[in-house]
């Protein structure tokens, strides 16, 4: 077995196996390596840097004793995969975002697998796992990962994750994984000690120094993340990746690392691979054939949210003036902001997206960010009412853009999803204080006593409160919501999947009423007429209805037709 480490700032590197330090040979360009025949699957090892510090393998496949412990050798070919899965087209995507640790009573991969029959019967076609890369402690959202190749041991072993993927495929479900290539977590990352070229002070991110994608020594940094994408898609047979906050991946080189990554992935796989971005800059340039499949559409979410709640704090201020108009434009053209000045930042935001098909925009009413980044983690049903949410859901689940649900949404879940992590000492105190300080700029939290009521992210009960209570899905109200979602998703299979709508056009019929028309690939038009306000409006109903929610034109009514 060959051990290899890029440590350009180290003078001496040893691999440590069973307490024995074995010297590694410098092989040029900052690399050290050693062949060791005694190592095999199950062997635990570390690297010793300059006789000073023991570190895990930055490309470790598994960390059985957390991110600062030894790495374990994993045989990538040992899992008995079944042949036959060919993937699914993106046109059939109905995505369900979940956090492995809080989704099921077990809180692990097996727990997720046990709930897949529920998702398949609902009409879900893809599960999206929040990040799995090894993080410090036993509980975390996943965005504090420090070892991107090692699925965290809190949820099981690598073979357990592969078994989950296989079980999902057996039920016709795609599996997507959220990956974080814009920063490393604050605890357990040793790269700065022996490979400081991983970071650059020339750029800044919300989490500190940026990852070096464009400066001196960036060749191996870029390769580290590109190979990580190939690793997850190949070794775990995932169907796609969702890339977190790519607006914080700063690359001023002639070829942006996102372009290189997409090109490399497309070249490596013949089966359908779905690459989805989160990009606050609304850059349509990254989407298209041989590029990225889709982007999370915050614009449509913000329009939905303001309509449902009336909130205008923070970034919602950019949608509060005309939420229905912003939503209608998002449904028809993708982005609501396509270069216009945002009232939130005072700067231009976005690029034209009228040429981009609706399939390139993932729409949602809720996700981990929009729920969990609230001070008290409120779900939408706690902030609005059932009449409003049923109308908005009738749009979300039948609009041409692929919909995404957040775990528990389908039964009208009202329990919170809170921000949680498992740091101790000074770091834990800093996270707790920082979390509460974030909300000081909001009117409701200017009083220190109000901020003190924000749940402690370090406390285990905060994590426990976020674990789904599945008994609520069996209560009468929960069953009614599940039936509503299943009915709409059945209509989506029957009427939306075969149509392949193109970019649409919208026109307002009142302050909160609008029409949206999408031309269909085979001829004809998909039409939406919606009144998302409290007073009646006159709406034109043209074509054959296939779903009408409420009386057309009345408050909170939605009508879908095909002409």
């Amino acid at each position: 077995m060959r051990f290899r480490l890029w440590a350009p700032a180290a003078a001496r590197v040893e691999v440590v196996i069973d307490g024995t330090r074995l010297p590694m040979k410098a092989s040029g360009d900052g690399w050290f390596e050693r062949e060791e025949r005694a190592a095999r699957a199950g062997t635990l090892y570390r690297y010793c840097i300059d006789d000073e510090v023991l570190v895990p393998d930055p490309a470790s496949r598994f960390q059985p004793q957390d991110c600062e412990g030894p790495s374990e050798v994993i045989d990538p070919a040992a899992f008995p995969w079944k042949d036959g899965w060919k993937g699914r087209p993106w046109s059939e995507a109905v995505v369900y975002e979940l956090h492995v640790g809080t989704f099921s009573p077990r809180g692990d991969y097996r727990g997720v697998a046990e709930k897949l029959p529920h998702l398949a019967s609902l009409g879900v076609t893809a599960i999206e796992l929040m990040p799995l890369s090894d993080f410090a402690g036993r509980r975390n959202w996943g965005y504090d990962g420090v070892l991107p190749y090692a699925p965290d041991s809190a949820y099981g072993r690598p073979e357990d994750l592969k078994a989950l993927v296989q079980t999902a495929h057996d039920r016709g479900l795609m599996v997507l994984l959220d990956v974080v290539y814009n920063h490393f977590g604050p605890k357990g990352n040793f790269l700065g000690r022996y490979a400081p070229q991983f970071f650059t002070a020339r750029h800044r991110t919300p989490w500190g120094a940026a990852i070096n994608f464009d400066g001196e020594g960036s060749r191996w940094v870029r390769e580290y993340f590109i190979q990580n994408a190939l690793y997850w898609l190949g070794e775990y047979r995932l169907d796609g990746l969702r890339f977190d906050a790519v607006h914080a991946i700063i690359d001023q080189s002639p070829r942006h690392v996102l372009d290189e990554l997409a090109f490399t992935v497309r070249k490596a796989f013949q089966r359908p691979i779905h690459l989805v971005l989160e990009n606050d800059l609304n850059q349509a340039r990254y989407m298209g054939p041989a590029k990225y499949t889709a982007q999370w559409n915050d614009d449509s979410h913000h329009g939905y949210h303001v309509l449902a709640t009336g909130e205008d704090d923070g970034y919602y201020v950019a949608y509060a003036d005309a939420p229905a108009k912003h939503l209608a434009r998002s449904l028809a053209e993708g982005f609501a902001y396509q270069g216009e000045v945002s009232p939130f930042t005072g700067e231009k935001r976005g690029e034209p997206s009228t040429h981009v098909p609706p399939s390139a925009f993932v729409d949602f009413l809720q996700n981990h960010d929009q729920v969990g980044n609230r001070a008290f983690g409120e779900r939408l049903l706690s902030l609005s009412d059932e009449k409003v949410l049923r109308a908005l859901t009738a749009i979300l689940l039948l609009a041409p853009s692929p919909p995404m649900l957040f775990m528990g949404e389908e039964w009208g879940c009202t329990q919170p999803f809170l921000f949680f992590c498992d740091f101790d000492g000074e770091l834990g105190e800093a996270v707790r204080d920082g979390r509460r300080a974030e909300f000081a700029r909001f009117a409701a939290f200017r009083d220190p006593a109000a901020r003190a009521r924000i749940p402690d992210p370090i406390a285990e009960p905060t994590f426990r409160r976020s674990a789904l209570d599945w008994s609520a899905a069996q209560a009468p109200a929960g069953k009614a919501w599940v039936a509503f979602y299943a009915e709409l998703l059945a209509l989506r299979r029957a009427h939306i999947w075969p149509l392949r709508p193109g970019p649409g056009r919208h026109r307002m019929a009142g302050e909160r009423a609008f029409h949206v028309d999408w031309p269909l690939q085979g001829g004809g038009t998909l039409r939406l007429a919606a009144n998302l306000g409290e007073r009646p409006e006159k709406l034109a109903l043209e074509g054959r209805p296939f779903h009408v929610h409420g009386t057309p034109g009345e408050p909170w009514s939605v009508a879908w037709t095909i002409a």
Side-chain angles (χ1 to χ4, degrees), residues 159-225:
E159 54 266 31
D160 299 322
L161 174 55
K162 292 176 182 178
L164 168 60
V165 175
Q166 182 66 71
T167 303
H169 288 170
D170 289 344
R171 293 195 168 274
L173 296 169
M174 298 181 281
V175 183
L176 313 179
L177 175 65
D178 198 341
V179 293
V180 182
Y181 294 167
N182 51 51
H183 76 289
F184 289 91
K187 180 175 172 57
N189 173 29
F190 296 93
L191 285 166
R193 168 61 181 83
Y194 58 85
Q197 291 88 335
F198 252 88
F199 306 96
T200 176
R202 293 184 301 111
H203 308 306
R204 299 292 294 177
T205 74
W207 311 283
I211 294 174
N212 176 26
F213 287 108
D214 60 1
E216 184 177 352
S218 62
R219 173 193 172 194
W220 296 116
V221 179
R222 294 167 72 97
E223 195 68 16
Y224 179 81
F225 289 102

Side-chain angles (χ1 to χ4, degrees), residues 229-231 233-235 264-271 273:
L230 296 173
Y231 161 79
L233 295 167
E235 194 159 313
T264 305
V265 167
R266 299 300 182 199
K267 188 177 178 181
F269 298 97
Q270 298 304 310
R271 60 185 171 89
I273 296 291

Side-chain angles (χ1 to χ4, degrees), residues 61 162 195 205-206 242 268 335 341 369 374 389 414 503 508 559:
R61 281 183 165 91
K162 292 176 182 178
T205 74
R242 179 264 190 187
F335 296 138
V341 173
D369 268 332
R374 301 179 66 86
L389 290 188
T414 55
M508 301 304 295

